[in-house]
Amino acid sequence: MPFSALGLSPQLVRAIVARGYVAPTPVQTEAIPAVRSGRDVRAMAQTGSGKTAAFALPILQRLQESKRTGPRQLGALILVPTRELAAQIGESFRQYGRYLPEHARIVTAFGGVSINPQMLALRGGADIVVATPGRLLDLVDHNALRLGAVATLVLDEADRLFDLGFAAELGRILALLPERRQNLLFSATFPAAVQACAEQLLRDPVRIEVAAAAASTPAIVERAIEVDPMRRTQLLRHLLQEQAWTRVLVFVATKYATEHVADKLRRAGIAAGALHGELSQGARTLALADFKAAKLQVLVATDLAARGLDIVQLPAVVNYDLPRSAVDYLHRIGRTGRAGEGGVAISFVSADTHAHFELIEKRHHRRIPREQIAGFEPEETTVPLAPSTGGVKGKRKSKKDRLREAAAGVVHPRPATPTQLENSFRWHRMPPGRPRR
Ligand code: AMP
């Protein structure tokens, strides 16, 4: 079934297509129409099932349909257990809502950081708030927001909300919400506390159950972001701020790049260190110890660090430079999502490297949707590797040259095929990877 059959507006479909989604996942197929029609939902779904879009898209759609007359009021409240999840869901809402004619104001709020910027962000109101329960109550106590007009409440990863001891906060929040509202509950498991909460909260819910991922598969979400090479450090800084990762392992291709990127981050006030094979053993141990002790937020490393490194609670890995081989890709992303924890592995892909990334995907039988982040959209386009009319083989043309050629109607020959490219890389024999979903 295509996304357009789910009754989503053309602007939302455009944003989904831009993210590279081809068809809705099972939880999306079932939840989107239910949420759109105003029903309550009880969904058993895990991270990786596409559950965020399953509630975010219809919430944005309903918001768009309800014409606002008075001042902005909080229409949808999404409660989540962790700051990483809050940041991730907030970013998803922004991405999905980017083409809507009337931009939804989305505010993300979580503890462990100063409350002031969040209070400032709430000035003038918000349409959607994604928050951890404790910080949400702090904001209510500071009169930074009111919950009296919330039309849709989402409890995401409800089992973890209870595991992390948020039951009392949830009770207080529920008491502040209007009686008449839509409730959506998403949880990977339904232990007694979640079951009881579902029974109390939900009115005649649509029940959704999607097959659980194999228990042995750690929940690593792979993402690929298109960005020009020159803007990678800026994008990395943006992601550090947006995603609120406590720790990130950033992979680069050379020893020089580890120092260079770490240095640029340090100059921007981020605690960053470098790790590569030419450091003394003492310096390596120290860098790792500082990273594990959270004295360093970012560790910029060559592939040397990918093997054998076990850092529990490493929420994110970033491929600033793509790995040379498909095997290294697996080693790198395997640094996150350890010990059953969730993790995200982000690859920066540029015009020059997209064919190489496609090969990595092919090797692992997966297709990772390409994303673009607002403000970091790439300007460079793919350069054909075959000789083109004029220009030097493999050399990127200036923007001016490209515009001139476009105006003159120059048609480039097709880029090299994956097989041609594959021959130019060093590949290891790979066991077949797990297919994505
Ligand atoms: P979630 O389960 O919401 O954390 O989503 C897991 C990952 O799947 C995210 O990287 C989403 O961008 C991606 N995703 C969500 N829906 C789809 C879809 N219909 N097709 C492909 N990827 C998707």
Side-chain angles (χ1 to χ4, degrees):
M1 179 197 286
F3 268 106
S4 50
L6 295 174
L8 295 170
S9 73
Q11 294 92 343
L12 289 174
V13 174
R14 190 175 157 208
I16 298 164
V17 172
R19 282 202 79 158
Y21 303 176
V22 178
T25 65
V27 69
Q28 291 164 1
T29 306
E30 292 191 57
I32 291 174
V35 180
R36 279 198 58 216
S37 70
R39 294 278 303 270
D40 279 9
V41 168
R42 175 198 192 276
M44 185 186 267
Q46 301 196 328
T47 297
S49 60
K51 64 184 170 58
T52 311
F55 61 78
L57 292 168
I59 285 177
L60 286 165
Q61 171 99 5
R62 275 167 72 87
L63 200 73
Q64 196 184 1
E65 284 161 359
S66 66
K67 292 268 169 287
R68 179 160 56 86
T69 44
R72 216 178 269 278
Q73 287 184 318
L74 178 60
L77 174 63
I78 293 89
L79 292 176
V80 297
T82 64
R83 53 195 261 172
E84 282 85 9
L85 194 59
Q88 196 180 305
I89 293 177
E91 179 59 27
S92 294
F93 266 105
R94 283 183 203 106
Q95 292 272 334
Y96 299 139
R98 63 204 268 215
Y99 298 118
L100 294 180
E102 218 182 296
H103 274 283
R105 282 201 67 191
I106 298 140
V107 174
T108 312
F110 44 77
V113 294
S114 163
I115 197 169
N116 295 332
Q118 295 169 6
M119 289 180 56
L120 218 59
L122 284 166
R123 273 211 197 138
D127 299 298
I128 298 166
V129 166
V130 187
T132 50
R135 177 52 61 94
L136 184 87
L137 285 170
D138 287 346
L139 288 163
V140 171
D141 291 343
H142 279 81
N143 284 324
L145 92 165
R146 283 168 215 262
L147 305 181
V150 170
T152 305
L153 168 74
V154 182
L155 298 189
D156 191 28
E157 302 207 355
D159 47 1
R160 293 183 69 206
L161 277 168
F162 282 93
D163 278 351
L164 293 173
F166 281 126
E169 280 90 348
L170 283 181
R172 259 193 76 197
I173 293 169
L174 291 180
L176 295 169
L177 295 173
E179 278 277 308
R180 269 177 60 87
R181 60 167 198 269
Q182 180 181 35
N183 300 292
L184 315 174
L185 186 143
F186 288 78
S187 197
T189 58
F190 278 78
V194 180
Q195 184 58 35
C197 169
E199 273 161 28
Q200 189 204 333
L201 197 68
L202 306 173
R203 252 171 284 168
D204 183 27
V206 173
R207 288 168 170 265
I208 299 170
E209 280 189 26
V210 293
S216 59
T217 319
I220 301 173
V221 175
E222 291 165 76
R223 297 175 57 189
I225 302 180
E226 294 176 335
V227 60
D228 287 337
M230 292 298 287
R231 307 211 56 208
R232 285 175 300 177
T233 310
Q234 274 168 292
L235 175 60
L236 182 59
R237 283 172 50 193
H238 170 82
L239 290 172
L240 282 167
Q241 205 174 16
E242 276 288 325
Q243 303 287 317
W245 293 315
T246 42
R247 265 193 209 104
V248 191
L249 186 57
V250 175
F251 283 104
V252 293
T254 62
K255 175 194 102 179
Y256 169 76
T258 61
E259 303 281 3
H260 183 62
V261 175
D263 194 47
K264 280 205 275 187
L265 293 174
R266 277 195 295 266
R267 273 188 272 135
I270 296 162
L275 187 71
H276 57 78
E278 283 178 40
L279 290 175
S280 69
Q281 190 55 47
R284 275 199 233 172
T285 312
L286 188 66
L288 268 178
D290 281 352
F291 190 48
K292 286 188 185 176
K295 285 190 204 156
L296 291 178
Q297 187 188 4
V298 183
L299 192 61
V300 190
T302 55
D303 282 291
L304 158 104
R307 309 212 175 215
L309 225 178
D310 191 359
I311 301 164
V312 180
Q313 288 194 331
L314 179 57
V317 165
V318 172
N319 289 322
Y320 185 101
D321 287 320
L322 291 179
R324 238 179 103 68
S325 78
V327 181
D328 285 338
Y329 179 80
L330 278 199
H331 279 295
R332 286 182 178 191
I333 71 166
R335 296 311 103 205
T336 183
R338 294 182 86 73
E341 308 247 347
V344 60
I346 296 186
S347 298
F348 289 171
V349 183
S350 67
D352 282 352
T353 59
H354 89 105
H356 182 53
F357 193 65
E358 275 177 8
L359 283 178
I360 293 176
E361 288 180 299
K362 206 170 121 205
R363 284 283 153 155
H364 297 306
H365 309 283
R366 60 188 88 179
R367 160 93 194 135
I368 302 162
R370 303 295 184 270
E371 300 170 35
Q372 295 193 354
I373 303 289
F376 295 90
E377 294 89 349
E379 292 191 350
E380 295 176 11
T381 48
T382 314
V383 180
L385 291 185
S388 61
T389 34
V392 181
K393 183 179 173 188
K395 193 169 175 200
R396 190 178 306 123
K397 295 189 174 67
S398 72
K399 196 172 171 192
K400 221 195 283 168
D401 282 344
R402 275 187 273 122
L403 288 174
R404 227 181 268 141
E405 284 186 350
V410 174
V411 180
H412 289 296
R414 290 175 65 76
T417 65
T419 335
Q420 282 169 320
L421 267 167
E422 186 160 12
N423 294 334
S424 65
F425 290 106
R426 168 176 65 90
W427 289 104
H428 297 255
R429 264 174 59 79
M430 280 294 306
R434 107 185 126 88
R436 242 175 95 72
R437 246 193 310 280

